[in-house]
Amino acid sequence: MTALSLAVGLGLGGVAMQAGAADAPTLSKDDFEKAKTLYFQRCAGCHGVLRKGATGKNLEPENTMKLGQDRLERIITLGTEGGMNNFDDIMPKEDISLLATYIQMDPPKPPEMSLALMKERTKVYVDPKDYPAKPLHDRNWENFFLVIERDVGKVAVVDGDKHEIVAHIDTGYAVHVIKALEHSTVSKAENPGRFWYTMGRDGKLNKIDLWQTPDKMLVAETQIAYDARDVAISGDGKYVVGGAYWPPHFVIVDAMTMEPLKVVSSRGVNVDGDYVEESRVAAVYDTPNETSWLVSMKELGQMWQVDYSDIDNLRIEKIDSAKFLHDGFFDPTGRYFQIAANASNKMVVVDTKERKLEAMIDVGKLPHPGPGANWNDPKCGPVGGTTHLGEGTVTVWGNDPAGHPDQAWKVCYTVETDGPGLFIRTHPNSQYVWADQTKHPEPEVQQTIQVFDKDTHEIVKSIRITDKPGYAAVHTEFNADGTEVWVSVWNRKDSKEPNGEIVIFDAKTLEEKGRIKGFYAPTGKFNVHNRVEHVT
């Protein structure tokens, strides 16, 4: 059972909740518990624990009961062109039916989580005084990839030079993001890229030491929530911040000991003037040129710039923008943060130096850049780009107000792809931009990556990564020098078997070089050098 499902069960005393309406569907206690877990695993990320909607639609009974059982089952089965995946290839009909019934019932409300409980759940596996002074192996750890193995609760460490899996590390359910200490212009810390921190869908925060032998790479962990999405490390290496979906808060943790230090609620009044209880923290990032984090308040439509130079007297600027803020990336200078406001169909730009809103750019339906991509365009100069959850386009805008003021924060061009996607990536040494199409409901599209030229803006190659039913292509990442591109074969259908692969391409010729096998549902992957140096 997932952490959030268990928490909900404890909060309700094990009693299944049912809708108040007399004609509402009902479920047995066992079926309710099963459906609750399914909803958390497959639906809550987009629709919310309380089902009020965000990237996905509002799924409260007043809306779902109007659609009825048959219509809801069909939507879950086939997905939608608007960016919702089909689930018929990974879920049996009886589970789809359970979910359709469950979302017509009142949503149960999970409990809160105290700082004391977080401290109880902190575990140290290797004492910091026993950390090695140099790597205990002869591998090039700065070209390691850390790969999320989603459904089995693991992270794979992969040698980027030798194309070998070094370790499978137990981390907890559905890691969403892995980050390390990144380069900062205002703070100095030792060995950036050595320690990596994971944040999972069960709220578990793990610390990984790449200098250790594989059996001791997991050095500590804590739990800061029942459901969470992102993590960041302060530029001085002292603190880690974890952003939670439930309870709605973020938590500051000691980066060395992993002891939770401070909890800050994210509930508040949104940009429309309405109080929001389920105000989720979707993204947290260290600002490269300031002693602060950017913390996105998804439902509030605000970016909070949180100064960590004095955590006892926390300074927070609350920057109004648009809903629903999800994920983003910095421009090449590290001054401007570009983040998707999904439901508003905008990219929001925050000036981290002035700590205020810089711009909002109208883009396509439901933008989702993931870690994002920056490159140079012959016409517009430096640009950034995003894929979209709701349509098959890549939108590209100028992001250099100092050198190209006439092009800054304006759409430069769009590229039409075959389907909606999750991630876009490139590298300064590459001529190409890679976009996945994972959110399209048709298998042949969601299994295909499209590559376009930075100068001509034309798609030069469509690469079908796999043709196995229930498998998808997702997330591209370059190696340290930009000569290789790695793409995940996400074995959604049998994700708890080691049938996933990473396909490696020559970044110049776009030809396949090889495959690394033996992964459990590989999704996102993060190259040490590129992430530490903000290479996009």
Side-chain angles (χ1 to χ4, degrees):
M1 185 178 293
T2 63
L4 185 64
S5 297
L6 179 59
V8 172
L10 293 172
L12 297 174
V15 179
M17 295 292 287
Q18 299 180 3
D23 57 347
T26 61
L27 290 171
S28 70
K29 179 181 176 180
D30 288 345
D31 283 346
F32 184 88
E33 293 298 321
K34 181 178 180 180
K36 184 174 61 183
T37 299
L38 288 171
Y39 179 83
F40 169 69
Q41 293 176 336
R42 303 296 183 185
C43 315
C46 289
H47 299 282
V49 172
L50 303 182
R51 303 202 216 123
K52 293 185 180 295
T55 305
K57 293 182 180 296
N58 182 298
L59 295 181
E60 293 178 292
E62 63 184 27
N63 295 315
T64 54
M65 288 181 66
K66 294 175 184 177
L67 295 174
Q69 184 77 16
D70 291 345
R71 176 63 178 156
L72 291 170
E73 287 185 18
R74 184 172 177 81
I75 292 171
I76 297 169
T77 298
L78 300 178
T80 69
E81 289 284 353
M84 176 175 160
N85 277 116
N86 59 306
F87 287 95
D88 60 335
D89 58 351
I90 62 172
M91 290 176 64
K93 290 181 179 180
E94 55 267 27
D95 285 357
I96 291 174
S97 179
L98 269 181
L99 266 179
T101 304
Y102 176 77
I103 61 177
Q104 296 176 75
M105 302 166 68
D106 285 334
K109 181 180 176 180
E112 303 299 313
M113 179 179 277
S114 68
L115 183 64
L117 182 57
M118 298 175 200
K119 291 183 177 182
E120 286 179 13
R121 296 185 176 180
T122 302
K123 300 177 182 178
V124 175
Y125 301 113
V126 178
D127 193 293
K129 66 180 177 59
D130 295 326
Y131 289 173
K134 61 181 181 179
L136 300 179
H137 53 77
D138 60 358
R139 295 179 183 269
N140 177 18
W141 62 273
E142 291 181 294
N143 194 33
F144 277 3
F145 287 72
L146 285 87
V147 182
I148 294 171
E149 298 183 298
R150 185 185 185 278
D151 290 358
V152 295
K154 295 179 183 292
V155 164
V157 178
V158 185
D159 187 321
D161 291 346
K162 299 181 179 180
H163 299 171
E164 296 175 348
I165 297 176
V166 177
H168 296 277
I169 300 172
D170 292 327
T171 54
Y173 175 71
V175 166
H176 191 71
V177 162
I178 316 173
K179 288 182 184 172
L181 175 67
E182 299 170 346
H183 175 71
S184 170
T185 63
V186 294
S187 301
K188 300 297 180 184
E190 293 183 353
N191 304 313
R194 172 184 176 174
F195 296 108
W196 284 72
Y197 300 84
T198 75
M199 180 55 75
R201 291 278 314 270
D202 55 3
K204 187 179 285 187
L205 177 59
N206 299 276
K207 181 180 181 181
I208 296 171
D209 182 359
L210 297 184
W211 286 13
Q212 296 277 5
T213 56
D215 59 314
K216 291 186 176 180
M217 284 185 170
L218 178 62
V219 294
E221 67 178 47
T222 188
Q223 186 185 11
I224 60 97
Y226 301 114
D227 187 6
R229 285 302 184 280
D230 209 355
V231 62
I233 301 88
S234 60
D236 57 12
K238 293 181 179 179
Y239 304 114
V240 176
V241 60
Y245 268 21
W246 193 274
H249 63 216
F250 62 90
V251 180
I252 300 173
V253 176
D254 185 296
M256 181 62 73
T257 66
M258 294 295 283
E259 179 187 7
L261 301 173
K262 193 179 190 72
V263 181
V264 182
S265 174
S266 58
R267 293 180 170 103
V269 177
N270 68 13
V271 290
D272 299 324
D274 300 320
Y275 176 76
V276 180
E277 180 179 13
E278 190 178 359
S279 168
R280 299 177 292 176
V281 178
V284 287
Y285 282 83
D286 184 60
T287 52
N289 306 328
E290 311 294 329
T291 57
S292 63
W293 295 302
L294 283 178
V295 183
S296 74
M297 301 298 158
K298 191 180 185 81
E299 280 76 14
L300 298 187
Q302 292 178 336
M303 292 298 297
W304 291 9
Q305 190 159 350
V306 180
D307 195 307
Y308 52 71
S309 59
D310 181 0
I311 67 169
D312 292 325
N313 300 282
L314 211 57
R315 170 189 169 191
I316 302 176
E317 277 90 8
K318 299 181 178 181
I319 304 166
D320 286 347
S321 56
K323 302 178 294 186
F324 289 97
L325 296 167
H326 187 68
D327 201 6
F329 59 108
F330 283 95
D331 79 306
T333 70
R335 174 173 177 173
Y336 300 101
F337 189 68
Q338 308 156 119
I339 184 169
N342 292 151
S344 300
N345 302 329
K346 297 179 185 295
M347 289 298 300
V348 169
V349 184
V350 172
D351 182 343
T352 61
K353 180 179 180 180
E354 298 296 331
R355 305 188 181 211
K356 66 180 184 180
L357 180 68
E358 170 75 6
M360 290 197 287
I361 309 165
D362 291 324
V363 293
K365 186 178 180 182
L366 302 177
H368 188 285
N374 295 303
W375 66 94
N376 289 316
D377 181 76
K379 170 189 172 185
C380 297
V383 295
T386 183
T387 43
H388 299 81
L389 302 174
E391 64 181 52
T393 58
V394 172
T395 302
V396 181
W397 62 88
N399 62 7
D400 179 23
H404 297 77
D406 293 340
Q407 307 293 338
W409 319 129
K410 298 175 183 177
V411 174
C412 179
Y413 64 92
T414 60
V415 176
E416 184 176 349
T417 61
D418 292 334
L422 286 168
F423 300 106
I424 182 172
R425 291 296 282 167
T426 189
H427 191 282
N429 295 337
S430 174
Q431 182 61 29
Y432 304 110
V433 181
W434 294 61
D436 68 26
Q437 303 178 111
T438 316
K439 297 300 288 183
H440 198 280
E442 296 180 14
E444 60 268 31
V445 179
Q446 66 179 223
Q447 295 172 343
T448 300
I449 299 287
Q450 294 199 298
V451 186
F452 66 89
D453 188 280
K454 292 179 179 178
D455 292 340
T456 67
H457 311 162
E458 298 293 328
I459 293 175
V460 296
K461 194 167 187 178
S462 295
I463 308 171
R464 190 166 184 179
I465 305 298
T466 180
D467 59 4
K468 294 182 180 179
Y471 285 36
V474 65
H475 196 272
T476 56
E477 176 74 316
F478 284 75
N479 66 345
D481 62 11
T483 57
E484 294 178 351
V485 183
W486 292 30
V487 182
S488 294
V489 177
W490 179 15
N491 53 326
R492 297 170 68 230
K493 186 175 182 179
D494 50 8
S495 60
K496 294 186 178 180
E497 300 296 328
N499 298 328
E501 301 176 340
I502 287 180
V503 188
I504 301 173
F505 293 91
D506 185 295
K508 185 175 182 179
T509 67
L510 310 183
E511 296 297 321
E512 183 177 325
K513 291 181 62 175
R515 298 190 175 220
I516 307 175
K517 301 180 183 293
F519 292 97
Y520 299 86
T523 52
K525 51 208 159 301
F526 307 88
N527 178 267
V528 173
H529 171 83
N530 290 344
R531 299 310 170 117
V532 169
E533 299 298 331
H534 302 284
V535 176
T536 59

